[in-house]
């Protein structure tokens, strides 16, 4: 039985400059109505294949772009088709500027965890990212949530923004840590082809000499034209040279304020890890609803059509069916994103495979200090978390 649901709400107030997710800015109300009707039908159809629901994650897009009436409609269609455990974790993503008193009240009746899309407190970097809303709307949203009894609030931050220095990033972290938050996700900006930001960047030469990068970790003196952005990698993305230092800084500053890194990009106060995501990193089953949402039944994955029109007209999901051992490898590397890594018995129970199948690869990764292994556990070292892509490549 499946006990976890993900619901993708593909609407936003505008398109952020860096956004490569599937989202529709300012949709007509008829489109939202059609989306909700199809979602209701899909939820109803799936209700028999699920047991008691232990976690729900409503993401996007911007779920709180929906009006209060539409949010209520979404919540009640989930509640009416599924039995939800009394202690289920129910998360919803929220962009602060879209939250109203009425929506906060509805969210408090249905959900118990809110993830705020902040990304940056600094107006200069918000502008580069193309984020709507003001830093003031963040404080207002937090007050609305707290006043309605939602104490489990988290936020997303982005680092390695063009022109952002270590000291700028430190300010962002200190600001986030000073707020009554329980969870912070921090992601390095990737500038993906086809986004508005990539287009903007392609007109500017962002490069500084390597020597200068090595000897100047504080890049406040750099102008945007000389910020430490490197040319596109072969993955079609751009990275900054100080993103590693920024990742380290996030770990150190957030630790000082009582947050632990429990996954490569996720930090929480004790007991406030996102249970839904943790279970999914450990290979648990879940059903995804809405365009571009993925599902996993323990053996195969499938992804709904990533286009609202196609999804509405009933396009079949794309199925990803691979041999069991390959799937076990995939689950293994996803679990290695967490700081705790795998308990060997748990991995065996979860996948039917013993971790011995990775022995040759693990020996090599241990030699490079990327992995540590004890009698009971296998987990990434700090270096391994940082170079998780390489760990994954070696194991899959
Ligand atoms: S709010 Fe999120 S999903 Fe919407 S455009 Fe911005 S980054 Fe994309």
């Amino acid at each position: 039985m499946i006990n976890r649901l993900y619901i993708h709400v593909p609407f936003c107030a505008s398109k952020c400059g860096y956004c490569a997710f599937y989202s529709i800015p300012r949709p007509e109300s008829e489109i939202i109505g059609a989306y909700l009707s199809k979602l209701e039908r899909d939820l109803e159809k799936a209700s028999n294949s699920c047991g008691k629901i232990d976690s729900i994650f409503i993401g996007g897009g911007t779920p709180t772009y929906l009006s209060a009436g539409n949010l209520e409609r979404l919540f009640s269609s989930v509640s009416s088709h599924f039995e939800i455990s009394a202690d289920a974790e129910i998360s919803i993503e929220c962009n602060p500027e879209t939250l109203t008193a009425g929506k906060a009240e509805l969210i408090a009746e249905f959900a118990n965890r809110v993830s705020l899309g902040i990304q940056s407190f600094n107006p200069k970097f918000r502008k580069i990212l193309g984020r709507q809303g003001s830093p003031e709307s963040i404080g207002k949203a937090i007050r609305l949530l707290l006043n309605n009894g939602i104490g489990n609030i988290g936020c997303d931050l982005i680092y390695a923004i063009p022109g952002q220095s270590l000291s700028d990033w430190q300010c962002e972290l200190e600001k986030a840590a000073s707020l009554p938050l329980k969870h912070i996700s921090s992601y390095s900006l990737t500038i993906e082809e086809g986004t508005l930001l990539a287009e903007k960047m392609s007109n500017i030469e962002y490069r500084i000499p390597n020597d200068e990068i090595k000897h100047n970790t504080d890049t406040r003196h750099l102008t945007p034209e000389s910020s430490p952005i490197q040319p596109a990698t072969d993955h079609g993305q751009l990275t900054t040279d100080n993103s590693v230092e920024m990742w380290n800084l996030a770990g150190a500053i957030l630790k000082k304020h009582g947050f632990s890194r429990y996954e490569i990009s996720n930090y929480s106060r004790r007991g406030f890890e996102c249970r839904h995501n943790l279970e999914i990193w450990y290979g648990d089953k879940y059903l995804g609803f809405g365009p571009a949402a993925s599902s996993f039944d323990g053996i195969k994955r499938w992804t709904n059509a990533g286009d609202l029109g196609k999804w509405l007209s009933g396009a079949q999901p794309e199925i990803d069916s691979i041999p069991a051992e390959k799937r076990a490898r995939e689950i293994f590397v996803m679990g290695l994103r967490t700081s705790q890594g795998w308990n060997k018995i748990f991995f065996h129970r979860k996948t039917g495979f013993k971790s011995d199948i990775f022995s040759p690869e693990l020996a090599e990764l241990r030699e490079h200090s990327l992995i540590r292994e004890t009698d009971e556990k296998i987990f990434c070292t700090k270096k391994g978390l940082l170079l998780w892509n390489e760990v994954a490549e070696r194991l899959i």
Side-chain angles (χ1 to χ4, degrees):
M1 278 291 189
I2 295 181
N3 309 96
R4 308 192 186 282
L5 307 178
Y6 171 76
I7 297 170
H8 187 75
V9 181
F11 309 120
C12 291
S14 65
K15 191 78 180 166
C16 301
Y18 61 95
C19 181
F21 304 115
Y22 180 64
S23 68
I24 302 166
R26 293 176 302 281
E28 305 281 334
S29 58
E30 294 74 33
I31 292 182
I32 297 178
Y35 160 82
L36 288 169
S37 300
K38 162 94 164 105
L39 188 69
E40 276 163 6
R41 292 196 297 278
D42 288 356
L43 289 167
E44 186 178 3
K45 262 191 257 162
S47 55
N48 289 334
S49 52
C50 290
K52 235 183 190 184
I53 299 300
D54 290 330
S55 68
I56 302 173
F57 197 106
I58 304 177
T62 307
T64 48
Y65 177 75
L66 295 177
S67 65
N70 284 333
L71 266 183
E72 193 171 17
R73 185 173 164 193
L74 189 157
F75 295 157
S76 74
S77 58
V78 179
S79 307
S80 61
H81 295 304
F82 296 91
E83 191 186 350
I84 301 173
S85 302
D87 64 346
E89 178 192 82
I90 305 180
S91 307
I92 182 165
E93 289 180 341
C94 163
N95 275 348
E97 66 279 6
T98 60
L99 192 67
T100 61
K103 292 183 198 179
E105 210 175 300
L106 284 168
I107 288 171
E109 279 168 23
F110 179 75
N112 46 32
R113 184 174 179 278
V114 173
S115 176
L116 293 172
I118 293 178
Q119 318 310 350
S120 170
F121 297 95
N122 184 322
K124 180 173 82 177
F125 297 120
R126 292 181 67 81
K127 193 168 172 209
I128 292 175
L129 294 173
R131 294 292 297 183
Q132 284 225 323
S134 61
E136 293 71 44
S137 62
I138 297 166
K140 189 180 154 218
I142 292 174
R143 278 194 301 281
L144 279 175
L145 294 169
L146 290 174
N147 290 344
N148 280 282
I150 298 188
N152 191 354
I153 306 171
C155 83
D156 286 0
L157 296 177
I158 289 182
Y159 62 93
I161 301 170
Q164 187 182 40
S165 67
L166 280 175
S167 139
D168 291 327
W169 176 229
Q170 179 165 356
C171 289
E172 303 273 19
L173 292 163
E174 296 282 2
K175 175 73 188 161
S178 73
L179 296 172
L181 300 176
K182 301 289 195 285
H183 191 280
I184 296 175
S185 303
S186 93
Y187 301 102
S188 172
L189 177 67
T190 52
I191 302 177
E192 306 220 19
E193 272 179 49
T195 59
L196 296 169
L197 190 53
E199 199 182 308
K200 234 192 236 174
M201 300 279 294
S202 65
N203 300 322
I204 309 169
E205 182 74 13
Y206 278 90
R207 192 195 288 259
I208 59 170
N210 280 339
D211 283 355
E212 196 172 347
I213 293 167
K214 273 187 217 132
H215 299 121
N216 291 285
T217 49
D218 182 344
T219 53
R220 273 174 298 180
H221 64 288
L222 299 171
T223 62
E225 286 69 33
S226 62
S227 80
I229 294 286
Q230 291 298 292
T233 65
D234 52 359
H235 299 105
Q237 295 172 350
L238 296 160
T239 56
T240 61
D241 278 90
N242 56 2
S243 60
V244 171
E245 280 121 310
M246 288 181 166
W247 184 79
N248 281 323
L249 192 64
I253 290 185
L254 295 178
K255 187 174 177 191
K256 187 179 81 184
H257 290 281
F259 292 84
S260 304
R261 178 186 282 131
Y262 71 97
E263 191 267 352
I264 297 170
S265 307
N266 285 281
Y267 307 79
S268 77
R269 296 196 184 280
R270 187 189 290 267
F272 287 93
E273 298 83 5
C274 177
R275 269 162 43 203
H276 179 90
N277 285 341
L278 260 181
E279 293 298 342
I280 284 169
W281 288 316
Y282 281 128
D284 214 1
K285 304 167 191 173
Y286 61 99
L287 282 186
F289 299 87
S294 294
S295 304
F296 180 53
D297 67 2
I299 300 163
K300 67 176 191 305
R301 291 189 192 283
W302 62 97
T303 304
N304 293 344
D307 170 273
L308 184 69
K310 287 187 183 155
W311 176 76
L312 283 173
S313 58
Q316 288 304 301
E318 197 177 300
I319 311 249
D320 163 29
S321 192
I322 55 176
E325 185 184 324
K326 209 167 172 212
R327 184 66 79 204
R329 285 178 175 270
E330 182 194 276
I331 291 173
F332 186 70
V333 298
M334 287 309 288
L336 289 178
R337 291 186 64 89
T338 64
S339 307
Q340 290 295 313
W342 283 101
N343 172 292
K344 292 179 183 178
I345 296 170
F346 179 54
F347 177 73
H348 187 202
R349 271 212 310 263
K350 194 92 197 171
T351 64
F353 287 88
K354 290 195 169 173
S355 55
D356 302 353
I357 60 170
F358 310 113
S359 290
E361 294 92 337
L362 289 175
E364 197 185 315
L365 292 166
R366 276 199 311 271
E367 239 173 69
H368 289 92
S369 309
L370 294 168
I371 287 281
R372 273 196 60 202
E373 188 171 353
T374 65
D375 287 345
E376 291 91 36
K377 291 178 67 178
I378 301 171
F379 54 95
C380 277
T381 59
K382 189 175 169 196
K383 182 179 167 192
L385 287 177
L386 193 55
L387 299 176
W388 176 84
N389 282 342
E390 290 182 26
V391 172
E393 243 171 61
R394 194 68 201 90
L395 286 164
I396 283 187

